[in-house]
Amino acid sequence: MSRTDPDAGYMYRDQKPEGFFWLAHRTVDAKHNFIVDVHVTPGNVSDSTINDTFNVS
């Protein structure tokens, strides 16, 4: 657990920096290239687990 940010998640992935991080996941409108949704997670949350949280129409 991070002593300065206890909600941050410890991330360890191949060929990535190791440590406490936050990740910003974005949904982008493909036609206009606008970011339409952002979901921030601790670094230890897998990218594949957040797909269901996006509000995609």
Side-chain angles (χ1 to χ4, degrees):
M1 177 182 291
S2 170
R3 292 181 287 161
T4 57
D5 189 354
D7 292 326
Y10 193 84
M11 184 174 78
Y12 173 79
R13 296 183 186 164
D14 290 338
Q15 299 183 16
K16 299 276 187 178
E18 182 177 345
F20 291 99
F21 292 98
W22 289 95
L23 300 174
H25 310 273
R26 295 169 292 278
T27 301
V28 178
D29 176 296
K31 184 176 179 180
H32 303 287
N33 293 322
F34 290 125
I35 297 172
V36 296
D37 195 9
V38 177
H39 190 78
V40 179
T41 61
N44 60 333
V45 174
S46 171
D47 293 337
S48 63
T49 63
I50 59 93
N51 289 333
D52 294 335
T53 64
F54 281 110
N55 183 12
V56 179
S57 312

